[in-house]
Amino acid sequence: MTGRDERIRVAVVGTGGIATGSHLPTIQAHRDRVELVAAVDVDPGRVAQFCARADITAGYTDVDEMLAAQRPDLVHVCTPPAEHIGQLESVLAAGSWAWVEKPPCRTLAEFDRITAAEQASGAYAAVVFQHRFGSAGMHAADLIAAGELGRPLLAQCTTTWYRPPAYFTVPWRGSWASEGGGPTMGHGIHQMDLLLTLLGPWEEVTALAGRLDRDVETEDVSLALVRFTNGALASVTNSILSPREESYLRIDLSDATVELTHLYGYRDSDWTYTAAPHVPEQRRQRWRTPTPDVPSSHAAQFPLLLAALRAGTRPPASGAGVRSTLELVTALYQSALTGRSVRRTELVPQNPFYHALHGDTVGWAPARSNA
């Protein structure tokens, strides 16, 4: 591993839009601590364009070849979801850490393979769950954990986005095999992860899902009711059919209502606190988010990942905390596709939904080949 006075050697795997638009600027903003040494893409032309833009010369079309030649400390995995598990296992086996785009994998079975790879290598895989790390989100989490806002009672978690039919002409979108699931897995997972960060562990899910308008294998909308360990109840909506797009989170506690309204990322001003009538003004003043205003973004999470890498400690947004979010997603699919409530304790290897989010459910699972 790189010494404390040396820059961390970083590689990027997958050089599409998210790598170019989010990961590269984040890396470049930390040039004093990070050196981008290589990029990988199955498309030689695309990786060449990325390398030219990033001002590097080491472009590859094979992950294992790059790992052997460059031995990076950290690899940003920005490929489609179906590619993640194999690439993460290779990265971790090489002793490199990974930072992978959401969803980190398609199933709990794959996530447990990531955990086994971590244990075998001593390296870690963190997930891009940047909504946890904006200054206002972290402040809200601290207030709730400290009991400053009272007891959590009721929540709404809404991801109502719009993706036109043309969005699904990209070959890997809209199928169970390539994405793992629909907007519940690929879009709403960010807001649901933030909900769990604020409210803690959950116990039971009752859900519905529909394939209402888009020509896809997966759902295009889902609705769920969630019971948390602390007794709070939440409604969750995920959609890619909504012309007026919004990401919305509301938590009603015994002393305050906390609301967040944004789209793909928030600032401090997107959060509001409404006090219950009995709360004195002096206490309300403590709810204000301290400066500076750090938007939820890759740039907000990245320094925390680098600090953990330097210290050799498990980074935030990895391990059990990420698995809890994937468990919620899995239970939502199981409930929606079986028509019954699902408890977290059911999500074991004997459960078909542990291995595929469609759970081999007739009418939702892909048709089996007779070959």
Side-chain angles (χ1 to χ4, degrees), residues 2-10 26-36 73 299 302-310:
T2 300
R4 288 187 176 275
D5 295 330
E6 300 175 33
R7 287 192 294 171
I8 293 169
R9 291 169 51 81
V10 170
T26 298
I27 293 167
Q28 292 173 330
H30 292 81
R31 287 192 183 94
D32 57 330
R33 289 185 284 173
V34 170
E35 179 186 7
L36 179 60
D73 302 306
F302 194 49
L304 301 176
L305 173 59
L306 297 181
L309 195 156
R310 287 286 192 198

Side-chain angles (χ1 to χ4, degrees), residues 202-204 327 331 342-351:
W202 63 275
E203 292 190 354
E204 185 178 12
E327 288 172 341
V342 174
R343 299 187 68 84
R344 187 174 179 181
T345 52
E346 298 179 42
L347 304 175
V348 296
Q350 295 75 24
N351 185 334

Side-chain angles (χ1 to χ4, degrees), residues 42-282:
V42 295
D43 184 332
R46 189 161 59 188
V47 74
Q49 291 177 350
F50 183 89
C51 288
R53 183 168 184 168
D55 194 24
I56 60 174
T57 58
Y60 298 83
T61 57
D62 182 82
V63 173
D64 292 322
E65 181 184 354
M66 181 277 292
L67 291 170
Q70 297 293 333
R71 301 183 63 82
D73 302 306
L74 175 65
V75 178
H76 296 227
V77 178
C78 308
T79 50
E83 306 300 321
H84 289 175
I85 181 61
Q87 292 168 347
L88 288 171
E89 287 179 324
S90 293
V91 168
L92 293 168
S96 302
W97 284 34
W99 194 28
V100 59
E101 277 294 331
K102 59 78 189 168
C105 52
R106 295 168 296 177
T107 65
L108 289 174
E110 289 185 348
F111 188 82
D112 287 346
R113 286 171 57 185
I114 296 170
T115 300
E118 287 183 333
Q119 293 170 345
S121 68
Y124 294 111
V127 181
V128 179
F129 275 151
Q130 69 270 29
H131 288 346
R132 298 186 186 190
F133 302 104
S135 52
M138 296 180 73
H139 180 61
D142 289 343
L143 290 175
I144 292 172
E148 181 65 31
L149 306 178
R151 184 166 60 91
L153 301 171
L154 183 66
Q156 299 174 42
C157 179
T158 301
T159 303
T160 44
W161 294 356
Y162 186 81
R163 297 294 182 268
Y167 176 83
F168 296 99
T169 60
V170 176
W172 58 267
R173 289 178 177 153
S175 78
W176 295 108
S178 58
E179 286 199 280
T184 310
M185 180 64 146
H187 300 83
I189 193 171
H190 273 307
Q191 201 80 342
M192 289 187 286
D193 181 72
L194 179 57
L195 177 71
L196 296 187
T197 300
L198 297 173
L199 290 187
W202 63 275
E203 292 190 354
E204 185 178 12
V205 175
T206 304
L208 296 170
R211 189 189 297 126
L212 304 183
D213 194 74
R214 298 295 182 261
D215 183 17
V216 294
E217 286 185 351
T218 66
E219 87 290 358
D220 50 21
V221 296
S222 68
L223 304 168
L225 301 176
V226 183
R227 185 185 304 277
F228 285 81
T229 302
N230 60 19
L233 300 177
S235 63
V236 177
T237 302
N238 300 296
S239 167
I240 45 85
L241 304 180
S242 306
R244 189 184 72 78
E245 296 186 286
E246 183 178 65
S247 301
Y248 177 70
L249 187 65
R250 171 177 175 149
I251 300 176
D252 292 317
L253 305 100
S254 54
D255 294 343
T257 293
V258 182
E259 291 179 276
L260 165 64
T261 305
H262 67 118
L263 187 52
Y264 300 136
Y266 62 77
R267 303 190 70 95
D268 288 0
S269 58
D270 296 320
W271 293 72
T272 60
Y273 290 79
T274 303
H278 63 268
V279 177
E281 182 61 30
Q282 182 179 11

